[in-house]
Amino acid sequence: MSDTNAQSVRYVRDTILPQQPPPASAVGFIGWARANLFSSWFNSVLTVISLAFIFYVLSGVIPWVFQSVWNANSLSECREVMVATWGDTHGHACWGVIKERWLQLLFGFYPPELYWRPIVALGLLLVALAPVLYAEKVPSKLLIVTALYPFVMPWLLWGGTIWAPLMVMAGFGLGYMAYTILSTKIGSLGAIIAGVLVPIVWWLFLSGAVASALASVLPLALQSVESRQFGGFMLSTLIGVVAIGCSLPIGIFLALGRRSDLLILRALCVGFIEFIRGVPLITLLFVASTLLNIFMPPGTNFDIILRVIIMVTLFAAAYMAEVIRGGLAALPKGQYEGADSLGLNYWQSQRLIIMPQALKISIPGIVSTFIGVFKDTTLVSIIGLLDPLGLSNAIRADAAWNGIYWELFAYIAVLFFIVCFGMSRYSMSLEKRLRTDHR
Amino acid sequence: MSELSIDREVDRSQMQVSNEIAITIDKMNKWYGTFHVLRDIDLTVYRGERIVIAGPSGSGKSTLIRRINALEEHQKGKITVDGTVLSSDLKNIDKIRSEVGMCFQHFNLFPHLTILENCTLAPIWVRKIPKKEAVETAMHFLEKVKIPDQANKYPGQLSGGQQQRVAIARSLCMRPRIMLFDEPTSALDPEMIKEVLDTMVELAEEGMTMLCVTHEMGFARQVANRVIFMDQGQIVEQNEPEEFFNNPQNERTKLFLSQILGH
Ligand SMILES: Nc1ncnc2c1ncn2[C@@H]1O[C@H](COP(=O)(O)OP(=O)(O)OP(=O)(O)O)[C@@H](O)[C@H]1O
Ligand SMILES: [Mg+2]
């Protein structure tokens, strides 16, 4: 630019003045504050009011948290210490309850000598999630852990013979074998039916006998733990993780079904989604806790936690389906046509073209649903399961801690916040990582 | 609408029309509800032909060309592509789609995949070609459309003309015997139109059977062996380009040509 100008413009400055540092009022904290907090009188008023509010809240919370009593075995003991130290009982936390009960809030009534099992299950969960969440950094061999986890985790938590999860796995193996053998002989539809029927027959009629036979030969077993001993944050995590893990695939299929051309399939999916979304989760949980037994043959013992997990999963899946449908609707028609024109069949184009994009669009909604599901697990306290909130009631029922609220809720809130905030941050980093469209 | 998009001699030595039939369309009719989009379409395409389909907006050009690739259905008549009768049988449809390449006005590249992945996806999944071989083929065709250095970028990072050339390469990776183009240049700036047309000319020079819906009359004059004029769902007139442009028979063709050529 300057080259061409030099010939045509009469006066051109030939020495460039050195750049000067900006005046102090434009840099540093003062400059920043002036630009962002006090740029107009209205802005200044807002800033002052906000600061006053923050100061007011913190001046209450910080002394409550830190001028507190840790060493006490009951609420009344706490109060005595508070009066002795600060002269009043107001504005001081009594963390003694957390010190005494924090393990119970984490594990419920799980036998303390077996705490290692849920901890191992949690550790394995992280290993199993790693190749899914960080696909490009973690070797894909770890996916074996992911595949085995659904079988190992229940065994670790509930205990019992090792043959039970192995029999379940064997069912899947048999189904797959039936499918591959028959698909060459009787065509794919028959093979699919056989692949579904064989494992069902196996689980219902054969696996029990085989398992007990094997167990009598090789009695490998963990000490079993009853479902009613489950509780605390472990129970929330268990219900949350299973519901989150299952609701995404179910939601995908429901969303595809709702957009399908097959009339009956579509009607079923729409009916399911609208029914579940139209009913409060608590109602479904009551159905799980009481009504389901009516439909079961008498004498069957259908585990209460399992029933609750199924209900929460179905509930989450209905919402998930709508979130994903939103993502599908946002994709331009050209993507379908592009995939079709290359000869990809329906499932290939869904898997390779449509879903990766639709899911990416729906990440914020999906993660919101996940977070919602995780927090909704606290509703199971209403049907008598001892999740952290249920436990806090149980703890208050103890004469020593009668009347203590804030400390328990604060502890539970922190636990939930850590997990939910983690999910939220992960979704943001994932969105960033998957941004390839450069729009 | 420009006449000057191709500024080089077109090499016609390989452009030979054989008497082998590629596509036959026999009294095909299609309705959208009560709206009659295609009326009694009769068309035979021989292997090696370069056909340009022109006509006013809404005349059914896209619908016709999309029917050949089974992106639309028809209600009456019969259409045979590469010896396979197009019905609603899914097996036939997938077979024809993998034999017939298609390029769209808006490219329809897959934004979440790199250029190379866009090109290897269908060969790997539909043709079941080993990945290494698919990559080699893809690089070959990307070189042909002159963008091998962009292979690892995403479609969003390319210009429109480059994207359309990738789309052509992506179709070619399936080794189609027929290529369909639906207004491949009408979303592009003039400079980019030229690069895409050049690619299409090269394709024609290699003897590819092509059906192009386009308003690029320069391309029609220099490359096509037949120009088809459609209006209101009918094939109104078809002729060799010279005759078609210099001596149109039908009134509607004359009107259309006078509008599009601007005199
Ligand atoms: N899905 C549809 N439902 C109803 N009518 C449609 C549909 N698709 C196209 N049409 C109508 O069919 C007619 C032919 O459409 P088509 O897209 O084939 O036209 P075209 O010749 O390609 O036009 P253009 O030059 O604008 O692309 C148009 O009148 C259009 O409105
Ligand atoms: Mg069109």
Side-chain angles (χ1 to χ4, degrees):
Chain A
M1 270 247 292
S2 58
D3 287 354
T4 51
N5 280 352
Q7 279 114 42
S8 56
V9 181
R10 200 163 296 158
Y11 171 73
V12 176
R13 164 184 273 160
D14 48 10
T15 52
I16 303 293
L17 288 181
Q19 291 189 14
Q20 296 198 333
S25 60
V27 292
F29 176 72
I30 295 179
W32 176 85
R34 185 170 287 179
N36 291 293
L37 301 178
F38 299 100
S39 58
S40 67
W41 69 266
F42 181 67
N43 203 338
S44 307
V45 170
L46 279 185
T47 302
V48 170
I49 292 177
S50 312
L51 284 178
F53 180 74
I54 293 172
F55 176 78
Y56 173 75
V57 171
L58 287 184
S59 66
V61 170
I62 289 182
W64 183 77
V65 172
F66 292 102
Q67 296 188 339
S68 50
V69 181
W70 280 93
N71 295 313
N73 294 322
S74 70
L75 187 55
S76 48
E77 212 181 314
C78 258
R79 292 205 168 121
E80 280 164 26
V81 177
M82 285 176 198
V83 171
T85 328
W86 299 289
D88 64 349
T89 61
H90 183 73
H92 305 287
C94 174
W95 295 121
V97 65
I98 305 298
K99 190 182 172 197
E100 185 186 298
R101 301 293 184 106
W102 69 280
L103 277 175
Q104 192 182 35
L105 282 166
L106 287 181
F107 295 103
F109 294 101
Y110 209 83
E113 70 276 11
L114 301 180
Y115 278 171
W116 63 270
R117 276 159 45 179
I119 293 172
V120 169
L122 181 66
L124 281 180
L125 174 68
L126 299 182
V127 178
L129 283 181
V132 179
L133 297 186
Y134 295 100
E136 64 282 345
K137 289 189 204 133
V138 179
S140 55
K141 276 193 189 124
L142 271 185
L143 280 173
I144 296 177
V145 180
T146 316
L148 291 180
Y149 191 74
F151 307 101
V152 174
M153 183 270 281
W155 181 60
L156 273 175
L157 291 185
W158 275 276
T161 166
I162 193 174
W163 298 110
L166 288 179
M167 289 304 111
V168 177
M169 265 196 261
F172 285 105
L174 285 174
Y176 180 73
M177 262 165 52
Y179 174 77
T180 41
I181 293 173
L182 290 179
S183 62
T184 52
K185 290 189 182 144
I186 60 169
S188 65
L189 185 66
I192 289 174
I193 294 174
V196 173
L197 280 185
V198 166
I200 290 177
V201 170
W202 162 256
W203 287 323
L204 285 184
F205 303 111
L206 298 172
S207 65
V210 177
S212 47
L214 284 168
S216 62
V217 180
L218 198 63
L220 283 177
L222 283 176
Q223 183 186 336
S224 57
V225 179
E226 299 270 326
S227 279
R228 55 187 170 75
Q229 293 174 289
F230 282 50
F233 200 60
M234 180 192 113
L235 180 65
S236 299
T237 317
L238 172 66
I239 299 173
V241 165
V242 179
I244 284 174
C246 298
S247 64
L248 184 61
I250 299 178
I252 289 176
F253 284 111
L254 282 173
L256 290 179
R258 187 162 192 172
R259 290 169 63 92
S260 131
D261 295 332
L262 308 172
L263 192 66
I264 295 178
L265 182 68
R266 188 171 64 224
L268 281 176
C269 291
V270 172
F272 176 85
I273 292 170
E274 295 305 334
F275 172 75
I276 296 273
R277 291 203 310 163
V279 177
L281 177 56
I282 294 186
T283 318
L284 293 178
L285 290 177
F286 275 120
V287 170
S289 80
T290 56
L291 273 176
L292 273 190
N293 271 350
I294 298 174
F295 297 113
M296 293 289 148
T300 41
N301 179 19
F302 193 17
D303 189 271
I304 177 72
I305 294 183
L306 191 59
R307 280 184 271 164
V308 165
I309 286 179
I310 291 174
M311 281 304 180
V312 177
T313 303
L314 295 183
F315 187 78
Y319 279 86
M320 195 62 71
E322 288 298 279
V323 169
I324 293 170
R325 195 167 65 94
L328 287 172
L331 276 196
K333 197 163 151 250
Q335 291 296 307
Y336 294 88
E337 294 180 348
D340 283 350
S341 73
L342 288 169
L344 295 169
N345 65 32
Y346 177 80
W347 291 111
Q348 284 172 337
S349 55
Q350 289 300 337
R351 184 165 112 60
L352 302 165
I353 309 297
I354 306 303
M355 272 306 153
Q357 298 184 65
L359 291 179
K360 188 174 86 181
I361 299 173
S362 338
I363 287 175
I366 291 175
V367 175
S368 292
T369 312
F370 282 174
I371 290 175
V373 170
F374 189 63
K375 292 188 298 184
D376 280 351
T377 57
T378 50
L379 288 175
V380 300
S381 58
I382 288 184
I383 55 166
L385 290 184
L386 291 176
D387 84 302
L389 283 189
L391 271 175
S392 77
N393 288 332
I395 289 171
R396 264 192 304 280
D398 184 340
W401 299 114
N402 195 349
I404 197 156
Y405 286 91
W406 284 89
E407 291 80 353
L408 291 171
F409 290 150
Y411 178 68
I412 296 167
V414 167
L415 289 178
F416 274 94
F417 181 79
I418 291 170
V419 175
C420 295
F421 187 66
M423 284 198 256
S424 160
R425 299 306 299 190
Y426 173 77
S427 92
M428 279 155 84
S429 76
L430 185 67
E431 269 177 75
K432 219 188 228 158
R433 201 166 67 206
L434 295 182
R435 189 170 300 148
T436 61
D437 46 2
H438 308 278
R439 275 185 199 146
Chain B
M1 330 234 157
S2 59
E3 285 272 350
L4 37 85
S5 294
I6 305 163
D7 49 10
R8 68 177 171 91
E9 276 300 303
V10 175
D11 169 17
R12 302 190 146 264
S13 62
Q14 300 285 315
M15 295 189 189
Q16 281 151 1
V17 178
S18 76
N19 49 16
E20 188 190 341
I21 292 178
I23 303 170
T24 41
I25 300 174
D26 186 19
K27 293 252 173 302
M28 183 172 75
N29 281 272
K30 176 178 175 62
W31 286 264
Y32 280 122
T34 55
F35 179 59
H36 203 165
V37 221
L38 295 179
R39 303 161 188 253
D40 285 337
I41 302 282
D42 277 313
L43 181 67
T44 306
V45 180
Y46 294 91
R47 206 162 285 297
E49 276 202 285
R50 288 92 43 209
I51 297 180
V52 162
I53 303 171
S57 182
S59 55
K61 309 178 298 287
S62 297
T63 312
L64 171 63
I65 205 166
R66 288 156 55 85
R67 176 58 194 136
I68 297 174
N69 206 11
L71 292 175
E72 307 278 349
E73 290 178 330
H74 69 278
Q75 280 79 40
K76 234 172 88 183
K78 187 178 168 194
I79 167 166
T80 313
V81 179
D82 243 354
T84 314
V85 179
L86 260 186
S87 56
S88 50
D89 185 353
L90 285 176
K91 276 232 171 70
N92 279 353
I93 289 180
D94 286 341
K95 177 166 180 290
I96 283 169
R97 280 178 180 159
S98 60
E99 303 284 327
V100 180
M102 173 116 185
C103 290
F104 302 86
Q105 181 176 359
H106 297 290
F107 331 134
N108 297 353
L109 294 177
F110 306 131
H112 63 301
L113 300 176
T114 62
I115 300 306
L116 188 63
E117 287 165 343
N118 263 280
C119 293
T120 55
L121 183 96
I124 290 174
W125 288 89
V126 179
R127 288 250 190 272
K128 316 279 183 212
I129 289 172
K131 181 162 182 220
K132 191 159 160 286
E133 206 183 314
V135 170
E136 276 165 20
T137 317
M139 287 314 291
H140 169 77
F141 284 112
L142 285 175
E143 252 154 55
K144 219 167 114 116
V145 301
K146 304 193 184 64
I147 31 183
D149 44 331
Q150 317 278 6
N152 291 315
K153 290 195 181 168
Y154 287 94
Q157 295 167 296
L158 268 55
S159 75
Q162 289 174 323
Q163 291 192 42
Q164 190 61 288
R165 283 183 285 152
V166 171
I168 295 174
R170 179 177 76 176
S171 300
L172 292 179
C173 285
M174 289 294 281
R175 308 262 182 201
R177 308 187 69 193
I178 302 167
M179 285 288 293
L180 310 174
F181 295 85
D182 189 1
E183 306 202 26
T185 55
S186 51
L188 300 177
D189 296 338
E191 193 49 33
M192 302 174 186
I193 292 182
K194 189 178 159 313
E195 46 184 67
V196 170
L197 286 181
D198 278 345
T199 308
M200 289 168 64
V201 171
E202 275 172 35
L203 207 56
E205 284 172 342
E206 287 166 15
M208 176 68 79
T209 311
M210 297 164 65
L211 267 83
C212 312
V213 175
T214 181
H215 296 299
E216 295 300 327
M217 291 305 145
F219 178 82
R221 272 186 208 278
Q222 295 188 44
V223 180
N225 68 312
R226 185 148 53 123
V227 181
I228 290 177
F229 177 71
M230 285 184 73
D231 192 20
Q232 295 177 7
Q234 282 172 311
I235 295 183
V236 175
E237 183 167 351
Q238 48 178 314
N239 217 328
E240 290 177 357
E242 275 310 299
E243 279 295 293
F244 180 84
F245 288 109
N246 298 337
N247 191 13
Q249 303 297 314
N250 192 293
E251 281 310 311
R252 284 188 274 176
T253 320
K254 284 178 192 162
L255 182 66
F256 175 76
L257 282 177
S258 70
Q259 281 169 348
I260 202 164
L261 298 175
H263 46 71

